[in-house]
Every structure is written in C-alpha cells, then in structure tokens.
Amino acid sequence: MEENKKYRYTKQLINMALRDGWTQKHIADACRTQQSMVSAWKNGSSLAKENQLTKLLELYGSKLRR
C-alpha cells in the first residue's frame, strides 16, 4: 500500500465516522489535519492520502463497500 496515494474511498470513510457520532473536528484531530480539510473530503472536492486516514481505516476499513 502506497502511503501517499490518494484514497478513493475518502468520502465514504468520513461519512461512516460522522454517522457513528464523530464530529468533523474529531476526525480532523484523528487525521492530523484541519476541520476545513475534512469538510472538503466529506463533500468530495478533495481526497485524503491513505496515511492521513490510518486511524479511520483501522476502525472502518473492513466495513467499506469497495
């Protein structure tokens, strides 16, 4: 797995966390980024890199519909 590769399921992963009660701020802290970046991921205007999503992938990766 290439760590700097853009992760194509970013939006799906963010939405799963939000449905579980995470806030965009909580997601941003877990991904070590800003809340505005999480907002861009959520609306699909930007994709995260895999290494930014490590924490969320550990929790939700197995539940993603690929």
Side-chain angles (χ1 to χ4, degrees):
M1 176 162 39
E2 217 180 297
E3 286 199 355
N4 285 331
K5 196 172 89 181
K6 296 288 185 179
Y7 192 68
R8 66 191 272 200
Y9 301 103
T10 299
K11 184 176 179 178
Q12 198 174 340
L13 199 57
I14 297 302
N15 285 325
M16 288 173 84
L18 291 169
R19 277 195 301 274
D20 263 6
W22 291 51
T23 64
Q24 286 188 9
K25 174 74 173 118
H26 189 184
I27 294 168
D29 291 345
C31 295
R32 296 189 172 137
T33 191
Q34 297 176 342
Q35 186 272 323
S36 59
M37 199 70 233
V38 175
S39 180
W41 295 343
K42 181 187 180 301
N43 68 32
S45 63
S46 181
L47 291 177
K49 294 178 182 163
E50 285 187 27
N51 63 346
Q52 291 175 294
L53 297 171
T54 303
K55 182 86 169 165
L56 294 179
L57 284 167
E58 286 172 7
L59 294 169
Y60 299 108
S62 63
K63 298 177 184 176
L64 282 174
R65 279 188 235 118
R66 298 168 193 253

